[in-house]
C-alpha cells in the first residue's frame, strides 16, 4: 500500500503514546500515512520545527498554540489544536532534601490531598526553585493556579525555571532545582535515581486537564484538508487502542524503545496503569485517571478548556481576560474534529463548550450518537469556570 510520509514531532514522554502507537500499530498505514516521528530535545525546539515548516504536525503543550495566538513568547504563527492527545499525566515532586524538610514540619505525603500538600509546600516557597518544561505549559498554569488559590503570595515567591523534561531528574540530582512539575516518566526517573520524591499527580489539582494537543500550522490545515483528516483519524484510532487496559504492557514496551523514551518498560507503564511509586522502595499508589487518552471525550478539543488557559495567562500577564478567552477558543478546532472524525462514526459531545470543574461524578451528556459519559473534572478548590461569564 502506498503511503504519504508526514514528519511529526514529539517529546520523549509517555503521553506521546498516541503518535507512537499510530505508527507502530499500523493505524497511520490504515489511513494511508507513514509517520516519520522526530524526537525533539525541548519544547522550544519542537515549536520552532513546526513553525519553520520542518514538521507537518507535532505533539504540543496545550497552552503553546494559545500563547502564540495571544502574541506571547516571540512567535505569532497561528497553530491549530486539532484534538487533545492526552489528559493529565504530570506529577509534582521535590528533592529528597525538601521532602525531608516537609516531613520535619509534620507533613506526610498521601499523593492525593492538594490542599495539604500545597500548604506544606508554601511554607518553603520563599525562593523555592521549581522546574517546569516550558513557560507556556499546563505544568506552569496548574502550578500557579494551585498555589495561588492557597495564598496569593505563593506563586510570586517561586523561582520558576525552564528545564526540558528529559533533564528534570538530572536537575534535581545536581541540586539545580528544589521541586518540579513534569510529565511522566521523568518524575518517576527522579524517584528511581533516589534523588526525588513525588507529592501529587496533576489530576489532584484539576481532575481532567488537557495536557498535550495534536498541533499543526493553520496554513497547512487550510492547504491540506485531506491529510489533516487522515492524520486526525489515525491518532484517534491510536487513542482508542490505548484505552484498553490489556494493551498497557505492549504500549509500555514500545514506548521504552531507545528511539522513543529510552527508559524501562516498567517505569513507562506506571503512568499508563496509574500505579505510581512516589518514593524509592515505597509501595505503588493507585491514581484514578493518572493519564487518559480516550475515555470521557478525552480527545475532544473543548473550547472552554482553551478559554480557561487563555484566561489564566491573561490574568497573570495583565491582558484583557475576555478577549484572551475568545482568542483562545479559536485555536481549539472543534469544527475540524467534528468534520474529520464523523467518517469514523466517532461519538462526540453535542456542545463544544462546557462549565469546567462542574462535574464531581460521572455524568451523562447529550452527544452526536445519543449520550456519552463524562468523568469528574473538578478543580481541587471547588471553583467552576463558566466561559460565558465575563471575567
Amino acid at each position: 500500500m502506498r503511503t504519504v510520509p508526514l514528519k511529526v514531532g514529539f517529546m520523549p514522554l509517555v503521553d506521546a503514546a498516541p503518535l507512537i502507537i499510530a505508527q507502530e500499530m499500523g493505524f497511520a498505514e490504515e489511513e494511508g500515512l507513514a509517520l516519520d516521528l522526530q524526537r525533539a530535545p525541548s519544547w522550544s525546539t519542537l515549536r520552532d520545527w513546526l513553525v519553520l515548516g520542518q514538521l507537518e504536525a507535532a505533539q504540543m503543550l496545550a497552552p503553546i498554540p494559545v500563547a502564540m495566538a495571544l502574541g506571547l513568547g516571540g512567535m505569532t504563527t497561528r497553530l491549530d489544536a486539532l484534538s487533545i492527545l492526552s489528559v493529565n499525566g504530570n506529577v509534582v515532586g521535590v528533592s529528597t532534601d525538601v521532602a525531608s524538610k516537609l516531613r520535619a514540619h509534620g507533613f506526610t505525603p498521601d499523593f492525593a490531598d492538594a490542599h495539604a500538600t500545597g500548604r506544606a509546600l508554601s511554607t518553603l516557597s520563599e525562593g523555592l526553585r521549581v522546574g517546569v518544561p516550558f513557560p507556556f505549559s499546563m505544568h506552569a498554569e496548574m502550578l500557579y493556579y494551585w498555589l495561588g488559590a492557597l495564598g496569593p503570595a505563593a506563586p510570586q515567591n517561586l523561582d520558576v525555571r525552564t528545564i526540558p523534561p528529559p533533564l528534570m531528574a538530572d536537575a534535581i540530582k545536581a541540586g539545580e532545582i528544589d521541586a518540579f512539575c513534569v510529565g511522566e516518566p521523568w518524575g518517576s526517573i527522579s524517584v528511581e535515581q533516589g534523588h526525588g520524591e513525588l507529592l501529587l499527580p496533576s489530576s489532584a489539582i484539576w481532575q481532567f486537564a488537557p495536557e498535550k494537543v495534536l498541533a499543526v500550522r493553520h496554513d497547512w490545515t487550510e492547504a491540506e484538508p485531506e491529510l489533516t483528516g487522515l492524520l486526525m483519524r489515525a491518532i484517534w484510532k491510536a487513542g482508542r487502542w490505548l484505552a484498553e487496559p490489556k494493551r498497557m504492557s505492549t504500549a509500555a514496551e514500545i514506548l521504552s524503545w531507545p528511539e522513543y523514551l529510552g527508559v524501562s518498560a516498567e517505569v513507562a507503564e506506571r503512568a499508563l496503569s496509574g500505579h505510581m511509586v512516589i518514593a524509592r522502595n515505597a509501595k505503588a499508589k493507585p491514581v484514578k485517571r493518572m493519564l487518559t487518552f480516550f475515555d470521557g471525550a478525552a480527545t475532544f478539543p473543548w473550547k472552554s478548556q482553551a478559554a480557561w488557559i487563555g484566561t489564566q495567562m491573561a490574568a497573570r500577564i495583565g491582558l484583557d481576560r475576555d478577549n484572551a478567552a475568545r482568542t483562545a477558543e479559536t485555536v481549539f478546532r472543534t469544527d475540524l474534529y467534528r468534520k474529520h472524525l464523523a467518517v469514523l462514526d466517532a461519538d462526540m459531545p453535542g456542545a463544544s463548550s462546557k462549565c469546567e470543574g462542574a462535574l464531581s461524578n460521572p455524568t451523562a451528556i447529550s452527544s452526536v450518537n445519543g449520550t456519552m459519559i463524562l468523568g469528574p473534572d473538578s478543580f481541587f478548590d471547588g471553583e467552576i469556570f463558566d466561559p460565558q461569564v465575563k471575567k
Side-chain angles (χ1 to χ4, degrees), residues 60-371:
M60 195 63 63
L61 295 159
I64 287 182
V66 173
M68 293 173 69
L70 295 176
L72 305 175
M75 285 196 172
T76 57
T77 300
R78 176 172 170 177
L79 299 182
D80 288 337
L82 301 178
S83 64
I84 304 297
L85 286 181
S86 60
V87 169
N88 301 335
N90 298 327
V91 290
V92 176
V94 294
S95 68
T96 52
D97 286 345
V98 170
S100 295
K101 290 178 182 177
L102 292 174
R103 282 191 288 270
H105 282 75
F107 173 69
T108 302
D110 67 1
F111 212 55
D113 190 340
H115 285 92
T117 302
R119 286 192 294 268
L121 199 59
S122 293
T123 64
L124 306 176
S125 65
E126 188 71 40
L128 194 72
R129 302 166 300 167
V130 183
V132 298
F134 198 69
F136 305 114
S137 63
M138 289 304 291
H139 313 79
E141 297 307 328
M142 299 279 270
L143 189 70
Y144 290 130
Y145 177 84
W146 171 43
L147 296 180
L150 295 171
Q156 287 73 25
N157 288 339
L158 299 177
D159 178 4
V160 179
R161 304 183 178 190
T162 300
I163 299 172
L167 301 181
M168 200 69 76
D170 292 338
I172 278 284
K173 179 180 179 180
E176 296 171 1
I177 54 174
D178 307 301
F180 57 78
C181 184
V182 71
E184 281 292 280
W186 303 109
S188 290
I189 292 297
S190 74
V191 172
E192 288 298 291
Q193 292 179 348
H195 302 289
E197 296 186 20
L198 305 184
L199 296 182
L200 278 183
S202 57
S203 57
I205 301 170
W206 183 7
Q207 285 188 277
F208 207 69
E211 177 52 33
K212 306 300 190 307
V213 298
L214 176 62
V216 297
R217 293 185 314 281
H218 178 71
D219 60 357
W220 186 84
T221 308
E222 295 289 297
E224 301 287 356
E226 183 177 355
L227 288 178
T228 298
L230 296 175
L231 178 62
M232 291 179 70
R233 290 190 286 273
I235 301 305
W236 185 88
K237 290 178 181 179
R240 181 177 60 181
W241 186 92
L242 284 161
E244 293 292 333
K246 64 184 179 182
R247 291 167 175 156
M248 286 180 188
S249 294
T250 300
E253 182 62 36
I254 293 171
L255 291 172
S256 73
W257 294 351
E259 61 267 40
Y260 297 134
L261 273 62
V263 301
S264 74
E266 187 274 330
V267 170
E269 192 168 349
R270 292 181 191 177
L272 294 173
S273 65
H275 289 86
M276 300 298 297
V277 177
I278 67 173
R280 203 171 191 184
N281 301 320
K283 291 183 179 179
K285 286 186 174 287
V287 181
K288 290 184 179 179
R289 298 196 301 172
M290 172 66 199
L291 175 60
T292 301
F293 295 110
F294 190 76
D295 295 335
T299 62
F300 189 73
W302 292 97
K303 289 188 176 295
S304 48
Q305 292 179 339
W308 184 88
I309 294 170
T311 300
Q312 293 301 306
M313 287 183 179
R316 191 172 71 255
I317 296 169
L319 303 177
D320 182 272
R321 297 176 71 187
D322 291 311
N323 287 339
R326 287 193 295 270
T327 299
E329 288 177 348
T330 66
V331 171
F332 277 36
R333 299 298 303 273
T334 54
D335 57 330
L336 296 180
Y337 187 97
R338 295 184 186 281
K339 173 183 176 181
H340 291 301
L341 293 180
V343 177
L344 297 178
D345 198 29
D347 202 8
M348 56 191 80
S352 294
S353 189
K354 61 187 175 72
C355 289
E356 298 295 335
L359 304 181
S360 56
N361 296 292
T363 302
I365 64 164
S366 171
S367 73
V368 171
N369 294 339
T371 60

Side-chain angles (χ1 to χ4, degrees), residues 1-4 29 31-34:
M1 178 180 178
R2 186 176 180 182
T3 56
V4 178
E29 187 176 12
E31 295 295 329
L33 300 176

